[in-house]
């Protein structure tokens, strides 16, 4: 029996019931694929449900304010996805009359849509025979065929795409693509895969050579950068604080945060007090400084670790302050959101 036949037969008996599998509407498929980029289904599902409830059509999403989109996205990370999502919704409405492109090639023109997402939408919605290759697919193919070419190398990316395209069921690309992604997510998992109950066990190279834990191969990442963030949480007598919108490019673009002082190391109280005294907001005013967390909270991102300390600054008044009770309405990084929840509890 061919690889695709075994896979699709497995899928028909083992697939999870997920809302985006009940539709071929390109808006919903696109939305689910953007949300699930670098995100597990169990984490992404509530966001998908929230987005489809708040923005049931691409027109609703396009007409929303960016701050609304970012607020709904809060906690999911990689906020450029949310900004691209909003940009593309407006593009589809304004430039395409609300109709999504119907081919892989044209879908690639949408901001935030790469090879994988374009392949998923084109195959699932329009039955185009183009194979998806994501982390799950890399893992399944590298293990089954015993391929040791690094999946994040130029040669690896090309080789796995070619192989996936050769294996693709050209008559039913939608089912095949969903099947191989589901197989990697639930059967051929990164850790503790279900090898003993795998329909490919007899012919899987990794299983038969004892290399399941060694594949897929990935080139080592760059060294993670350590950064030191100090947030100033101003509290005035009339219960106002200061929030700043992050401008320019960056991981938290257009999100809100407390005033930030970045240092080259963790600071003790006396060292940091001198920095606060020269800060524009409290400069010349009397204030009391309290260190909220004695041990820095480490917020881990893919390329950097943010060693974060929150400092409470009690002060008579602040200019352009916002009522502290309203700050939950602003889109903020999850790091800030967790502090607010903890501080208010």
């Amino acid at each position: 029996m061919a690889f695709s036949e075994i896979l699709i037969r497995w899928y028909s008996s083992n697939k999870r019931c997920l809302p985006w599998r009940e539709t071929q509407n390109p808006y919903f498929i696109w939305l689910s694929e953007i949300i699930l980029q670098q995100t597990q289904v169990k984490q992404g599902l509530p966001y998908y449900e929230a987005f489809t409830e708040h923005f049931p059509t691409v027109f609703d999403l396009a007409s929303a304010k960016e701050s609304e989109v970012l607020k709904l996205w809060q906690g999911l990370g990689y906020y450029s996805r949310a900004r691209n999502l909003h940009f593309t919704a407006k593009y589809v409405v304004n430039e395409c009359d609300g109709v999504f492109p119907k081919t892989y090639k044209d879908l690639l023109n949408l901001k935030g849509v790469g090879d994988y997402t374009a392949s998923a939408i084109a195959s699932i919605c329009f039955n185009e025979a183009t194979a998806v290759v994501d982390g799950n697919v890399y893992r399944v193919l590298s293990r089954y065929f015993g391929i040791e070419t690094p999946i994040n190398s130029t040669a690896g990316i090309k080789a796995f795409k070619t192989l996936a395209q050769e294996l693709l069921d050209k008559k039913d690309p939608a089912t095949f693509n969903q099947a191989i992604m589901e197989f990697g997510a639930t059967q051929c998992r990164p850790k503790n895969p279900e090898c003993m109950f795998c329909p490919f066990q007899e012919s899987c190279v990794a299983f038969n050579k004892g290399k399941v834990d060694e594949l897929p191969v990935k080139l080592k990442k760059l060294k993670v950068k350590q950064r030191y963030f100090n947030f100033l949480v101003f509290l005035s007598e009339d219960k106002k604080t200061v929030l700043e919108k992050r401008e320019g490019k960056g991981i938290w673009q257009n999100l809100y945060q407390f005033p930030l002082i970045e240092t080259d190391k963790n600071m003790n109280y006396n060292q940091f007090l001198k920095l606060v005294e020269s800060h524009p907001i409290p400069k010349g005013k009397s204030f009391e400084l309290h260190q909220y967390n004695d041990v820095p909270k480490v917020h881990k991102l893919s390329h950097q670790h943010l060693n974060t300390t929150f400092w409470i600054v009690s002060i008579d008044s602040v200019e352009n302050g916002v009522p502290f009770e309203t700050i939950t309405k602003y889109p903020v990084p999850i790091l800030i959101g967790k502090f607010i929840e903890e501080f208010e509890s």
Side-chain angles (χ1 to χ4, degrees), residues 196-211:
M196 299 311 296
F197 306 99
C198 178
F200 294 109
Q201 185 191 97
E202 290 185 4
S203 50
C204 176
V205 173
F207 177 78
N208 288 293
K209 290 188 175 182
K211 291 189 173 184

Side-chain angles (χ1 to χ4, degrees), residues 4 43-44 54-55 91 99 117 148 151 205 264 270 299 329:
S4 62
Q43 183 188 8
H54 283 76
F55 311 120
Y91 176 85
V99 179
T117 305
E148 297 185 10
I151 61 174
V205 173
D264 58 5
N270 291 328
H299 186 63
K329 296 179 181 179

Side-chain angles (χ1 to χ4, degrees), residues 10-212:
W10 174 91
Y11 181 66
S12 65
S13 302
N14 295 278
K15 65 179 178 180
R16 291 169 291 180
C17 182
L18 299 169
W20 49 83
R21 289 184 177 153
E22 307 301 321
T23 180
Q24 290 181 302
N25 184 323
Y27 170 65
F28 293 124
I29 300 300
W30 165 70
L31 189 60
S32 70
E33 293 299 342
I34 299 300
I35 288 173
L36 294 175
Q37 288 175 5
Q38 298 170 306
T39 301
Q40 293 184 345
V41 167
K42 64 181 179 181
Q43 183 188 8
L45 180 56
Y47 285 89
Y48 174 84
E49 293 172 337
F51 265 84
T52 53
E53 180 180 348
H54 283 76
F55 311 120
T57 71
V58 69
F59 296 95
D60 297 307
L61 180 55
S63 63
K65 295 180 180 178
E66 185 183 77
S67 59
E68 293 179 75
V69 178
L70 291 173
K71 181 62 180 176
L72 207 58
W73 193 272
Q74 186 172 308
L76 200 53
Y78 299 97
Y79 287 90
S80 61
R81 291 184 294 168
R83 291 189 289 270
N84 290 340
L85 190 80
H86 192 219
F87 180 93
T88 295
K90 291 189 287 186
Y91 176 85
V92 170
V93 167
N94 297 326
E95 304 298 328
C96 308
D97 297 322
V99 179
F100 273 81
K102 292 181 169 60
T103 67
Y104 166 82
K105 184 178 179 180
D106 290 338
L107 285 162
L108 284 175
N109 293 324
L110 300 180
K111 193 170 184 179
V113 172
D115 171 76
Y116 161 74
T117 305
S119 295
I121 299 171
S123 62
I124 295 170
C125 302
F126 308 113
N127 206 42
E128 183 175 348
T130 177
V132 296
V133 182
D134 68 349
N136 291 313
V137 178
Y138 279 126
R139 187 165 55 257
V140 172
L141 297 184
S142 66
R143 286 174 174 172
Y144 181 76
F145 290 97
I147 302 172
E148 297 185 10
T149 308
I151 61 174
N152 55 342
S153 66
T154 302
I157 292 170
K158 183 177 180 180
F160 280 99
K161 179 68 176 182
T162 300
L163 178 57
Q165 192 66 32
E166 291 173 355
L167 295 170
L168 181 69
D169 185 330
K170 306 302 189 296
K171 295 180 181 178
D172 193 0
T175 301
F176 177 90
N177 279 338
Q178 292 182 88
I180 196 167
M181 288 189 289
E182 184 77 342
F183 188 80
T186 64
Q187 181 88 23
C188 193
R189 299 185 296 262
K191 296 181 180 179
N192 302 315
E194 296 281 355
C195 293
M196 299 311 296
F197 306 99
C198 178
F200 294 109
Q201 185 191 97
E202 290 185 4
S203 50
C204 176
V205 173
F207 177 78
N208 288 293
K209 290 188 175 182
K211 291 189 173 184
V212 171

Side-chain angles (χ1 to χ4, degrees), residues 275-332:
L275 295 178
V276 179
E277 287 173 339
S278 61
H279 192 277
I281 296 178
K283 193 171 184 179
K285 297 180 181 180
S286 60
F287 64 87
E288 291 184 5
L289 180 68
H290 304 281
Q291 185 173 346
Y292 180 75
N293 51 303
D294 296 330
V295 178
K297 297 177 183 291
V298 181
H299 186 63
K300 295 182 179 181
L301 302 173
S302 59
H303 57 296
Q304 55 187 323
H305 289 176
L306 310 181
N307 299 270
T308 307
T309 303
F310 291 90
W311 301 83
I312 310 302
V313 186
S314 300
I315 195 167
D316 291 342
S317 62
V318 290
E319 293 183 13
N320 302 316
V322 299
F324 198 90
E325 62 185 18
T326 67
I327 59 177
T328 55
K329 296 179 181 179
Y330 292 82
V332 298

